[in-house]
Amino acid sequence: QVQLVESGGGSVQIGGSLRLACAVSGLTAGSATMAWFRQASGKEREGVAAINRGTLLKQYPASLKGRFAISQDDAKSTVFLQMNNLKPEDTAMYYCAYCAAGCGGKWWRDNGYTYWGQGTQVTVSS
């Protein structure tokens, strides 16, 4: 079992920054992938960043590269999502997710992940 608990969400003005955290506990695989997803009201869930816990390979959709950054602490107990220059379209519930290996070959698709956190809300407004 893997437990994921997100924190760090909140309300921020356009152009502001937030850092989300995902506390990871339980038995995790060394080559696991951790990812952040988001789901805006009325929209499908989309992947915004992923990191391989062993190789530290990081992946982003092209539309977010440069504004969002994923990282993990040295103890591999927390995964972070730094979000800069936030825009209203970044408003969503943000989720942390885990897959032991591969994630079905497509990290940005949610059906490859086996564990999810409860989510943390991010609201960007003027």
Side-chain angles (χ1 to χ4, degrees):
Q1 283 281 353
V2 175
Q3 294 80 41
L4 307 173
V5 180
E6 303 97 332
S7 62
S11 296
V12 63
Q13 291 188 326
I14 295 171
S17 298
L18 279 175
R19 188 171 83 151
L20 306 183
C22 174
V24 185
S25 60
L27 187 62
T28 60
S31 60
T33 293
M34 297 295 303
W36 285 95
F37 284 78
R38 68 184 181 185
Q39 187 167 25
S41 181
K43 295 189 177 181
E44 292 187 354
R45 192 156 50 185
E46 62 173 340
V48 300
I51 184 169
N52 182 290
R53 290 163 65 79
T55 67
L56 299 184
L57 174 67
K58 301 174 184 180
Q59 300 184 86
Y60 308 92
S63 60
L64 295 177
K65 201 168 185 178
R67 289 200 303 123
F68 285 21
I70 191 170
S71 62
Q72 68 178 11
D73 65 352
D74 291 342
K76 297 184 180 180
S77 61
T78 308
V79 176
F80 301 98
L81 182 68
Q82 178 68 42
M83 305 185 294
N84 298 322
N85 190 22
L86 285 163
K87 305 176 181 182
E89 53 264 40
D90 295 318
T91 294
M93 185 71 80
Y94 283 72
Y95 298 91
C96 180
Y98 166 97
C99 74
C103 303
K106 298 177 181 178
W107 70 267
W108 61 92
R109 298 188 64 174
D110 60 6
N111 58 1
Y113 293 82
T114 50
Y115 294 99
W116 292 83
Q118 82 289 347
T120 186
Q121 177 68 37
V122 172
T123 302
V124 185
S125 59
S126 57

